[in-house]
Amino acid sequence: MTAQDRGLIVTATSDLHRLAAALEAGAELTEADRIAAAEALRAVMPAKHAERDALIQDCRRRYFADLADHAAAHEISRGLSRYAASGWRRDRAAVAPPGKGTRTEMYWLILNTAPPNPHTPSPSTIRRILAKLR
């Protein structure tokens, strides 16, 4: 993340805090405030998933390089869902991922970017993330 990106996120976060305080005080949003809120949310949102997206791309490179994007997205989504329903329940409190160098380690890292109750991305979301690799 560049210094410019960090600056945009700080500004966006500041704008969102200002708008939240105004709403709590009973203010109604003007059209300009609504536009500012939308822009601030767009600036903050990509950063929220940047780490997860990078890990998903790394997972694809490491374990599914021989598959087409569609198939790789399906396999990653299926693996994440299975792990979230089983091993994650046991492993989520761990300070280090289990299974060094395995898919389990990668799934733990991906799910750990959004604790405590991560949602596993759908195959279509994963396909969009993988499309950024090109």
Side-chain angles (χ1 to χ4, degrees):
M1 179 180 296
T2 67
Q4 182 180 6
D5 291 339
R6 281 190 295 276
L8 287 173
I9 290 171
V10 168
T11 300
T13 303
S14 172
D15 288 346
L16 288 173
H17 283 288
R18 180 185 56 78
L19 290 168
L23 288 171
E24 285 175 342
E28 292 187 23
L29 291 179
T30 65
E31 182 177 352
D33 285 339
R34 284 193 304 276
I35 291 169
E39 289 174 359
L41 286 170
R42 284 186 194 100
V44 173
M45 295 289 279
K48 177 181 176 186
H49 296 298
E51 182 180 6
R52 178 204 67 182
D53 293 357
L55 288 166
I56 288 172
Q57 291 171 345
D58 191 33
C59 182
R60 196 258 198 269
R61 279 190 291 270
R62 286 186 191 190
Y63 302 109
F64 303 102
D66 59 330
L67 299 178
D69 282 354
H70 184 83
H74 177 74
E75 290 299 317
I76 293 168
S77 179
R78 187 173 74 163
L80 279 168
S81 294
R82 285 182 175 175
Y83 181 63
S86 59
W88 173 253
R89 293 178 182 190
R90 172 192 64 245
D91 300 336
R92 67 179 158 205
V95 291
K100 184 136 179 85
T102 66
R103 289 181 193 177
T104 301
E105 175 189 34
M106 188 60 67
Y107 296 150
W108 185 91
L109 291 167
I110 292 166
L111 292 174
N112 202 46
T113 61
N117 297 311
H119 129 307
T120 56
S122 69
S124 61
T125 298
I126 294 174
R127 276 194 301 276
R128 282 193 298 277
I129 294 166
L130 296 181
K132 296 175 190 174
L133 278 173
R134 292 187 210 126

